[in-house]
Amino acid sequence: MELTAEQRKEEQKRRRFIANAWMLMEKTGQAPAPSKDYCQLLVTTEGVIWRWWKISLRRSAVVYPGEWAIAREDVEDDERLMGEIERTFGPDVKDQVIHLCNRSNDFLSKLPQKLLVKIASYLSLEDVIAMAHCSKAFRRCCLTDCLWRNIFLQHHKHISPEIEQLAAEHTWRKIFFTDKLRLQMLMSRQRTQMKLQSNENEIQNKQIVPVNGNEEVSVVEP
């Protein structure tokens, strides 16, 4: 059905409105074989823009690029758009587009673990504990040794080699919540164990050699 001039003007206005809204996601790629078309997906706060450039091997073929502009509330029900997105970028991207348009996407939990740990390092201890109860992703982040090392450093300003070794054995979270007296006991026990281990190594490194072919032996340091 041919659009009237007024309808075309309204369509162009609607497309500009969607395209100029706040950008949430952009993806470009080539459709899977046998198609060689290039596609662009734009997701904004007001809807989805889908653009394509058809690639034809025939020299005589004149192919123009195309564009769809779908309002946010109509995206999930548009089977044509959903099919093209899934065919080109896969089902995961399609689900992400639906979540974005429904405004139910959790951006924070999708951040890389290293970045989440960096953000959590600026929170207070109470907020870190509360954050661990929000989701599985946040819980994993709040239990990482890297985060608790940062928290320990914020409260103690210095980390000795003995503390580093204790943390390697007991985790930084356990070291942080251990009271000072208990921590001193652990460090003392660790020093004792290291001294005993050092003595055992010295004994093992000593060599026993015969003297003049007799049974008597002399212990010689290497």
Side-chain angles (χ1 to χ4, degrees):
M1 180 179 176
E2 189 69 22
L3 297 177
T4 65
E6 187 65 27
Q7 288 175 329
R8 282 196 297 269
K9 186 181 294 185
E10 287 296 323
E11 178 67 16
Q12 291 174 358
K13 184 179 178 181
R14 185 174 65 88
R15 290 185 179 185
R16 283 196 300 270
F17 175 71
I18 294 175
N20 293 332
W22 189 268
M23 181 72 66
L24 299 177
M25 184 176 72
E26 179 181 7
K27 290 188 73 69
T28 59
Q30 190 172 14
S35 172
K36 296 182 179 294
D37 301 347
Y38 284 94
C39 303
Q40 180 189 37
L41 170 66
L42 300 175
V43 183
T44 72
T45 53
E46 298 300 332
V48 172
I49 300 290
W50 177 262
R51 297 182 179 126
W52 66 90
W53 293 263
K54 288 191 174 293
I55 306 300
S56 177
L57 299 178
R58 294 180 298 174
R59 294 183 179 180
S60 59
V62 179
V63 182
Y64 298 99
E67 178 184 283
W68 297 333
I70 312 298
R72 181 180 59 81
E73 58 272 13
D74 299 327
V75 167
E76 189 173 1
D77 297 327
D78 195 313
E79 296 181 359
R80 180 182 58 171
L81 175 65
M82 291 291 99
E84 288 297 321
I85 293 175
E86 183 172 6
R87 183 175 70 92
T88 306
F89 299 111
D92 291 341
V93 174
K94 185 191 77 170
D95 292 341
Q96 189 176 359
V97 170
I98 293 174
H99 287 311
L100 287 172
C101 291
N102 291 337
R103 298 180 179 176
S104 60
N105 202 44
D106 185 1
F107 294 101
L108 195 58
S109 63
K110 294 183 182 296
L111 291 175
Q113 180 85 348
K114 187 176 180 180
L115 188 54
L116 273 177
V117 169
K118 184 70 173 178
I119 294 172
S121 298
Y122 293 99
L123 300 177
S124 65
L125 185 59
E126 293 78 8
D127 289 338
V128 170
I129 296 173
M131 179 180 172
H133 292 83
C134 292
S135 67
K136 292 182 179 179
F138 289 165
R139 180 174 176 78
R140 286 194 298 269
C141 168
C142 294
L143 292 178
T144 56
D145 247 17
C146 183
L147 172 62
W148 286 101
R149 186 184 187 280
N150 293 343
I151 295 174
F152 186 94
L153 189 59
Q154 290 172 10
H155 286 77
H156 296 83
K157 306 302 180 186
H158 175 70
I159 298 177
S160 66
E162 292 177 331
I163 295 293
E164 288 275 9
Q165 189 165 355
L166 276 175
E169 297 175 4
H170 301 284
T171 74
W172 279 104
R173 182 171 177 269
K174 185 174 180 180
I175 294 298
F176 178 80
F177 285 109
T178 301
D179 59 76
K180 291 184 178 181
L181 180 60
R182 174 66 177 167
L183 194 58
Q184 289 175 356
M185 291 174 58
L186 288 173
M187 291 172 64
S188 176
R189 186 182 303 170
Q190 185 187 57
R191 283 193 292 268
T192 303
Q193 290 176 350
M194 291 177 64
K195 188 174 182 180
L196 290 174
Q197 184 66 35
S198 177
N199 292 338
E200 289 178 2
N201 291 339
E202 288 180 4
I203 294 172
Q204 291 176 0
N205 289 334
K206 291 181 178 180
Q207 297 178 352
I208 302 177
V209 297
V211 178
N212 298 327
N214 297 327
E215 293 183 358
E216 297 177 1
V217 295
S218 174
V219 177
V220 181
E221 291 288 342

